[in-house]
Amino acid sequence: DNIRNTGGHYFELATLLLSGAEKLGYQPVLAPNQEFDQPEAVDRDWQLVPTFRTRRLVDWSLGVDGKSTTQRGIDGKPIGGTKIQNAWNRVTDYFSRPARRPAAMLGQWSADLASLLKQLQPTASDVLLINTGDDFAMLALAAAMRQVDCPALRIDITFHFAICDANQTNRQSRLKFFGGQVNACVKSLRPHDIHIHATTQSLAGQMRRTDLKQTVTAIPYPTRPSAIRTDAGNPPKAVLAGLPRREKGRTAISDLLASLESPLLKSNRLRLSMHMPEHGWQSMVPPSLHPAYQRAIGGEERGPLEVMTSNLTTDQYHSWLDSADVGIFLYEPQRYGARCSGVLLEMMARGVPVIVPDRCWLADQVRAAGGHRSIGFIYQDRSEIRSLLEQFADRRDELTQRSRKHANVIATRHDPVNTLRVMGLADFIQTKQVA
C-alpha cells in the first residue's frame, strides 16, 4: 500500500523479494497503491495490479512509528485499555481527519485486499506476502480475509519497524498490547498458515518479549547485487545517502558541514555528496556553504559539494551509491536499535567503508565484520566524525580492501533468494511442485 512510486525502500524491497521469488519458480504479482504511476519500472513478466487507496497503516501501530497506545479490535476500535483509556483513544481517533481515522483506514485497506484476492483467485499453492507489515496492518489483513472465500493460504508478514526504542516510557504496556493484538489477529486468520518475520535479530527479540504465541523468524534484509569498484575517487567522496529525515539525523547535517568546511571541504581533501530535497535545504546547510551548494545544484562538476535531488530514478540512485568512497550515517541510534538500514547494506555490498553511530543495529554490522577500524568506524558522538574522516584518509587503502572483501559476505547473505530461503518459501514451493 505504500508503493506509490519507485522512491524509498518500499518499492525496492518488494521488487527484490519478487525477483528472488521468480528465481524460485513463483509467478510474481505486485499490488501497490492505486496512485502508483511508474508501471514501466516493473518487470514486464510480472502482473501489476494497483490496488490500495490508503497507505501508512503504520500510523496506527503500537510501535514507535504509530499513534496507538492500547490494543485494537478487528474493526480498529480501542479495546485493550481501561474504560477511560479506551474512551480517550476513541476521542483521539475522532479528531483525526475522517479519511485517516483508524477504523476508516482499516476498512478501506481490507476491502481493497479482499477485492484483489477475489480477482486473483489464489490457490493453496500460492503465497500472500505483506511487505513491511505491522501490528495494525495485521488487523486489516484479518478483516480482509473474513471477506474472502478461498482455500487456506500461506501468508507471510514482514515486520521492519521497531515496537519500542531506548526512550520509550511505556515499554511494557506497549509490548503487552502488541502481543495481544497480533495473537488475536493470528487466531482470527485461522485456518490460514501465518508466518511472521522480522528484518533484524533485535526486532525479532522485541517481538518475542511480547508473549507472542507465533514463531518469529529473523531474516536477512535483501539488497541488490552490486559491482565492487576497483578504482578510487580523488579527493574521496563521502556520501550521506537517503533523503534527510528526523530519524536519519536531519538536524545534524548543518553542524557536520560546518565542522568539515575548513579542514576538509575547502582544502579539497574531501568531497561531500548529499541527497537533499529541492526545497527547504537552507536550514540544513551553513550560510557560508550556500554558494557552493547552489553551484552544486547548478551542476558544477568538481566543487566540494555534490547534491542529488529527491527525484532520482532507481538506476540513478544506485549509480550514485556506486560512486561513494565512504558512507556517513547520522542516524539516531535509539530509533535504529532494532531497525535495519537498507542503505547501510547497499554500501557494505559495494565494499564501501562506513561511519556509523554506536548502540544500534548499524554498529552491530560493523562489529560483526571486525569492529571499529575494520570496515569503517563506530562513533559515540557526531562530533567525532571529522576526526574519523581524517583517519579514513590516512588508512583508506586498508579499510577499503577489508570492506571489499567483506562485501562478498554481505552479497551472499542478503541475496533476495537467500532471504526467501530463510523465510521458508523455497521449501514451500518445492513441496507444492512435488505434490
Side-chain angles (χ1 to χ4, degrees):
D1 56 304
N2 290 307
I3 300 174
R4 296 188 298 165
N5 51 51
T6 60
H9 90 273
Y10 295 108
F11 180 79
E12 179 77 353
L13 176 58
T15 51
L16 285 174
L17 290 171
L18 289 179
S19 67
E22 187 175 37
K23 290 177 182 176
L24 291 174
Y26 290 96
Q27 175 58 51
V29 179
L30 177 63
N33 196 284
Q34 287 186 8
E35 295 181 9
F36 182 69
D37 59 358
Q38 293 169 278
E40 69 281 356
V42 179
D43 192 302
R44 292 182 180 180
D45 293 333
W46 300 358
Q47 186 174 354
L48 175 65
V49 190
T51 297
F52 296 98
R53 292 169 290 172
T54 189
R55 67 186 185 96
R56 285 200 60 81
L57 269 65
V58 73
D59 286 349
W60 294 106
S61 167
L62 284 159
V64 294
D65 294 277
K67 302 172 187 175
S68 291
T69 56
T70 61
Q71 183 178 337
R72 293 180 182 270
I74 300 296
D75 57 1
K77 295 179 180 178
I79 60 171
T82 64
K83 288 183 178 180
I84 294 176
Q85 287 174 323
N86 292 339
W88 175 252
N89 278 289
R90 285 194 292 271
V91 170
T92 303
D93 294 353
Y94 178 78
F95 281 103
S96 301
R97 287 185 293 118
R100 299 301 297 173
R101 290 171 185 165
M105 293 179 68
L106 186 153
Q108 192 168 73
W109 193 97
S110 60
D112 291 340
L113 178 60
S115 177
L116 172 72
L117 294 177
K118 290 172 185 176
Q119 175 185 342
L120 294 178
Q121 293 292 303
T123 72
S125 297
D126 296 318
V127 174
L128 175 62
L129 172 60
I130 306 298
N131 185 26
T132 316
D134 58 78
D135 53 297
F136 188 75
M138 283 199 68
L139 289 174
L141 171 65
M145 299 311 292
R146 287 184 174 185
Q147 304 171 44
V148 181
D149 182 16
C150 67
L153 297 177
R154 172 169 177 143
I155 302 177
D156 290 73
I157 304 102
T158 300
F159 284 73
H160 179 65
F161 301 114
I163 307 172
C164 50
D165 61 29
N167 296 331
Q168 205 86 37
T169 56
N170 54 347
R171 292 169 65 96
Q172 292 307 313
S173 63
R174 285 285 182 114
L175 292 171
K176 175 185 175 183
F177 288 139
F178 178 95
Q181 185 161 293
V182 175
N183 284 336
C185 290
V186 172
K187 183 178 179 180
S188 176
L189 284 163
R190 292 173 184 155
H192 299 291
D193 184 20
I194 307 302
H195 296 259
I196 295 178
H197 313 283
T199 55
T200 70
Q201 290 283 359
S202 300
L203 177 54
Q206 282 190 0
M207 296 174 73
R208 291 168 188 143
R209 288 197 295 275
T210 67
D211 294 328
L212 190 64
K213 294 181 173 60
Q214 193 78 7
T215 299
V216 179
T217 304
I219 61 172
Y221 190 93
T223 193
R224 182 182 295 250
S226 304
I228 298 175
R229 284 174 59 189
T230 56
D231 61 342
N234 189 23
K237 182 193 288 188
V239 168
L240 281 170
L243 280 169
R245 297 201 300 266
R246 180 179 299 177
E247 70 268 26
K248 292 188 175 184
R250 179 179 60 204
T251 58
I253 293 175
S254 180
D255 288 343
L256 174 68
L257 290 172
S259 73
L260 301 179
E261 181 177 358
S262 294
L264 294 173
L265 297 176
K266 286 191 173 179
S267 63
N268 201 37
R269 294 175 60 198
L270 181 76
R271 193 168 188 230
L272 188 66
S273 187
M274 302 176 289
H275 194 184
M276 299 285 272
E278 294 185 49
H279 305 287
W281 55 266
Q282 288 83 353
S283 64
M284 292 182 275
V285 178
S288 58
L289 282 172
H290 281 193
Y293 188 97
Q294 289 168 325
R295 289 195 299 272
I297 292 176
E300 180 176 308
E301 288 293 324
R302 298 304 303 173
L305 298 180
E306 179 183 64
V307 180
M308 313 302 290
T309 57
S310 59
N311 57 346
L312 295 179
T313 66
T314 299
D315 289 342
Q316 287 172 334
Y317 171 76
H318 287 281
S319 294
W320 177 48
L321 294 189
D322 288 341
S323 70
D325 294 296
V326 59
I328 302 174
F329 292 82
L330 301 178
Y331 290 21
E332 296 287 351
Q334 66 269 22
R335 291 303 298 272
Y336 280 84
R339 176 171 162 181
C340 89
S341 163
V343 183
L344 179 72
L345 293 173
E346 289 168 341
M347 290 285 192
M348 294 174 73
R350 286 169 165 79
V352 176
V354 294
I355 299 175
V356 302
D358 200 1
R359 300 179 299 280
C360 65
W361 179 88
L362 291 86
D364 294 342
Q365 307 316 297
V366 174
R367 287 197 172 92
H372 185 60
R373 296 194 180 95
S374 57
I375 63 164
F377 302 95
I378 301 171
Y379 63 84
Q380 306 301 316
D381 188 89
R382 291 170 179 147
S383 62
E384 302 169 26
I385 292 177
R386 188 188 79 180
S387 172
L388 295 176
L389 283 168
E390 291 172 338
Q391 292 183 46
F392 167 75
D394 293 338
R395 311 177 67 165
R396 180 178 180 180
D397 288 345
E398 58 182 278
L399 283 164
T400 300
Q401 287 177 10
R402 284 196 292 267
S403 298
R404 290 176 178 174
K405 184 177 180 181
H406 187 65
N408 295 319
V409 175
I410 296 297
T412 300
R413 179 186 304 146
H414 295 274
D415 181 274
V417 171
N418 187 54
T419 300
L420 295 173
R421 285 197 183 104
V422 177
M423 293 171 72
L425 291 176
D427 291 339
F428 178 79
I429 193 170
Q430 289 174 2
T431 301
K432 295 299 179 181
Q433 287 172 342
V434 170

